[in-house]
Amino acid sequence: MRIIHTLVIALILFLGPVTKIFPENLGDDFDPTPYLGVRWYGVYLMGEKVGYGSFRLDSSTYHGEPSYTTKFSISYHLNLGGSNQAMSIREEKIYLPGKGLMAFISTNDSILGKSSFSGQKQNDQFEVTTPTGKKIIPSPGEKLSDALADLVLVRSRAAEGTTVETTQIETTLLKSVRVIHTVDSIERKTIGGVPTNIYKIKSEFPELGISSISLIDESLHTLEAKISLLTNREEGEDAAKNMGYASDLLLITSIRPNRTVPDPRNTRSLTLKLSGITDPDLILPSPRQKFTKLDSQTYYLKITDRGESGNHPRKIPILEPELKEYLKTTAYIQSSHPSIRILAKKITRTERDGLRVSEMLVEWLYQNLKKSFMAAIPNAVDVLKKRSGDCKAHAVLFTALARSRGLPARLVSGLVEADDGAFYYHQWVEVYTGQWIPVDPVFGQVPVDATHIKLSQGDMSEQLRLLNAIGSISIEILDYEVKEEKKR
């Protein structure tokens, strides 16, 4: 039910000690020798250790040519709703001097099983093999120096204020990610009795709407790398692997409002004040969610369970060009896979009314998908095989089923009030049936109730914006309406 999706993705993408980019094109003169070896680190969420990992750079050969290989791994040990779960990610990239990135493989092992993406460079693009087929992505011309960016900045003794930009393939998103690095400050400190300069490097990801801060000493040790409430610290191997007790992530990231709505699933309208919003792009207007900005970090929201009417439900398939993005198959939403197509057709039969198709798919998922927390990056085919999962799994499978029938659908993330009165991070879906309508397969709702607060929409790269909110938001409920009786 509750979403930890963005936390897991952020750990994978942005908390590796040397998985960012380098300031400028060094050509064939770049010497990787000073960076060879392995580094271990621990990953912390709000002070609680949630994982550990390593980054290794080795000399290697690729098709008989001298090359370099980076190996990045991370293991999570998470407590989700009282259920202890493990998840691991491994990524390997091979670089040829003067030619850059030539091949990669990324493997994800979780409760859903093991899956991997592998890519081989062909001319100016990569042919990627996924568990369900082939995919072509452009090559950004990534070099080894891009993968060692923050460390190279420090070793080159870049001056304070230096700003540089490069791009590399992110193997979880299967897309190129642009990053802008700035040497924010350089501070002289004594660590272990040895004076050293500490470089504070800010890394901005413009298209993703997030940034990180890294503290690196002159010996190239990452003392701390932080993004939102997540922190990465370099540690020895034994210390990194020492996990100890894990707090429930769902509870420590939940938000307790000033008062509760007694019947959240039947809430028709909700008026609240949302504080601690540092990213204005997290407040999304819609026919059902209106807002007024009170100050730089505070918003007044009025949410209703139904948007403006007036558009008649459309017949599927709905194929307008501007909706093409919400019909496509992806590595995680495999709407063209035979198992997805067959099931969607079986559930909806000959029905063509878009709203009715949405209701039929939501009802099937609500009745047939077991609700369970999972530390995993779900994809529709694996969720269907397992027949269980959390809100992420429900949303991904619903989206794939809807798209396979020609019904535009997109993922939505935000907050929802649970029966215990707290708000939790959650994921649901919006479908286009003449207008965008939010639906929630976890609760069996078409449309969703008014305690659903929308903060982001789109694919995984868009969901990462939630990291700008987790740990900083507070909620003050001003008014609500349940069924026909208004409460104050």
Side-chain angles (χ1 to χ4, degrees):
M1 180 189 87
R2 303 150 188 175
I3 183 169
I4 294 298
H5 169 74
T6 53
L7 299 177
V8 174
I9 295 298
L11 289 168
I12 296 167
L13 295 183
F14 306 118
L15 292 185
V18 286
T19 54
K20 302 187 184 74
I21 56 299
F22 180 58
E24 57 186 287
N25 189 339
L26 295 181
D28 295 340
D29 297 331
F30 176 64
D31 179 15
T33 305
Y35 311 95
L36 294 173
V38 62
R39 291 174 172 81
W40 289 87
Y41 57 93
V43 180
Y44 299 80
L45 169 66
M46 299 175 70
E48 299 284 344
K49 196 167 192 179
V50 295
Y52 63 89
S54 65
F55 178 86
R56 187 180 190 96
L57 174 63
D58 291 316
S59 300
S60 56
T61 57
Y62 180 73
H63 295 318
E65 295 187 60
S67 63
Y68 291 92
T69 299
T70 62
K71 296 179 180 179
F72 169 66
S73 68
I74 188 165
S75 297
Y76 306 104
H77 294 265
L78 306 173
N79 181 347
L80 300 173
S83 172
N84 292 317
Q85 296 189 30
M87 174 184 177
S88 65
I89 305 291
R90 296 182 183 277
E91 177 194 82
E92 185 173 313
K93 288 185 173 182
I94 301 175
Y95 300 85
L96 284 178
K99 296 182 180 180
L101 180 65
M102 302 302 296
F104 66 80
I105 183 168
S106 177
T107 303
N108 175 7
D109 194 356
S110 70
I111 192 172
L112 287 175
K114 183 178 290 187
S115 62
S116 64
F117 301 148
S118 61
Q120 297 284 333
K121 189 175 182 180
Q122 305 288 341
N123 298 319
D124 293 328
Q125 59 188 19
F126 277 86
E127 182 180 275
V128 182
T129 302
T130 76
T132 56
K134 302 283 188 179
K135 179 181 176 68
I136 300 297
I137 60 176
S139 170
E142 177 181 343
K143 308 176 299 299
L144 177 59
S145 53
D146 296 330
L148 302 171
D150 44 5
L151 298 185
V152 180
L153 260 178
V154 174
R155 193 170 191 278
S156 65
R157 303 298 185 258
E160 185 173 321
T162 301
T163 297
V164 293
E165 176 180 329
T166 56
T167 305
Q168 70 177 119
I169 291 178
E170 205 307 298
T171 59
T172 303
L173 299 178
L174 291 182
K175 65 188 295 184
S176 296
V177 177
R178 183 169 61 100
V179 188
I180 301 171
H181 287 281
T182 301
V183 180
D184 191 73
S185 65
I186 304 172
E187 185 177 353
R188 191 71 172 173
K189 287 189 175 182
T190 300
I191 300 178
V194 179
T196 184
N197 286 327
I198 305 298
Y199 285 72
K200 180 180 180 181
I201 299 176
K202 182 177 183 180
S203 302
E204 299 174 273
F205 304 80
E207 289 80 16
L208 306 181
I210 58 177
S211 62
S212 66
I213 295 290
S214 298
L215 301 179
I216 305 174
D217 69 18
E218 291 179 310
S219 298
L220 306 184
H221 295 297
T222 301
L223 307 179
E224 182 174 281
K226 188 170 185 179
I227 179 169
S228 183
L229 70 170
L230 295 160
T231 303
N232 157 51
R233 299 190 185 100
E234 189 171 325
E235 302 172 343
E237 181 177 358
D238 291 340
K241 291 181 177 179
N242 183 10
M243 293 296 299
Y245 172 77
S247 297
D248 192 325
L249 295 188
L250 302 177
L251 294 179
I252 66 176
T253 58
S254 65
I255 303 168
R256 288 281 172 183
N258 60 318
R259 58 174 174 154
T260 63
V261 177
D263 190 2
R265 300 292 74 80
N266 288 305
T267 302
R268 302 291 178 85
S269 69
L270 179 65
T271 305
L272 67 147
K273 185 164 69 173
L274 205 60
S275 302
I277 301 294
T278 58
D279 181 356
D281 289 330
L282 283 175
I283 302 297
L284 299 178
S286 72
R288 64 181 295 275
Q289 182 170 290
K290 310 290 186 181
F291 71 85
T292 301
K293 190 172 184 178
L294 301 179
D295 59 43
S296 62
Q297 296 188 13
T298 308
Y299 294 79
Y300 173 93
L301 270 68
K302 177 66 179 288
I303 305 171
T304 57
D305 66 344
R306 290 187 180 272
E308 300 169 356
S309 59
N311 291 320
H312 297 291
R314 297 279 302 279
K315 301 294 184 182
I316 58 170
I318 302 173
L319 303 175
E320 282 88 334
E322 63 270 20
L323 297 172
K324 184 178 179 180
E325 176 184 355
Y326 308 111
L327 290 170
K328 67 183 181 181
T329 185
T330 72
Y332 298 97
I333 302 172
Q334 307 104 319
S335 53
S336 62
H337 193 274
S339 65
I340 298 296
R341 288 186 175 277
I342 291 170
L343 177 60
K345 187 68 175 177
K346 180 179 179 181
I347 295 170
T348 60
R349 300 185 294 277
T350 59
E351 182 62 60
R352 294 191 59 218
D353 180 281
L355 181 59
R356 180 58 187 144
V357 167
S358 301
E359 293 171 341
M360 296 169 78
L361 293 177
V362 164
E363 178 65 17
W364 188 91
L365 285 166
Y366 182 70
Q367 296 293 340
N368 293 279
L369 211 63
K370 180 182 177 182
K371 280 67 177 170
S372 62
F373 299 115
M374 59 168 55
I377 306 172
N379 68 79
V381 171
D382 285 346
V383 172
L384 179 56
K385 290 177 182 177
K386 192 168 182 63
R387 294 293 180 101
S388 69
D390 56 11
C391 62
K392 306 185 301 294
H394 282 70
V396 165
L397 180 53
F398 175 92
T399 301
L401 293 168
R403 291 182 181 183
S404 76
R405 297 290 288 128
L407 178 63
R410 65 190 182 194
L411 299 173
V412 173
S413 294
L415 294 162
V416 69
E417 185 176 354
D419 291 338
D420 64 358
F423 281 80
Y424 293 85
Y425 288 90
H426 185 57
Q427 191 168 79
W428 59 100
V429 183
E430 288 180 342
V431 293
Y432 187 82
T433 64
Q435 62 180 342
W436 287 105
I437 296 175
V439 304
D440 193 333
V442 171
F443 297 129
Q445 293 182 322
V446 180
V448 301
D449 64 74
T451 71
H452 286 68
I453 305 172
K454 178 181 176 180
L455 297 177
S456 70
Q457 68 185 33
D459 63 16
M460 284 195 293
S461 60
E462 295 296 329
Q463 306 293 330
L464 287 169
R465 280 192 178 276
L466 279 178
L467 285 166
N468 296 327
I470 296 174
S472 64
I473 287 181
S474 63
I475 296 174
E476 180 182 350
I477 294 178
L478 304 176
D479 192 14
Y480 59 86
E481 183 179 354
V482 177
K483 293 184 178 179
E484 301 301 325
E485 181 182 0
K486 194 168 186 178
K487 306 289 184 180
R488 292 188 182 275

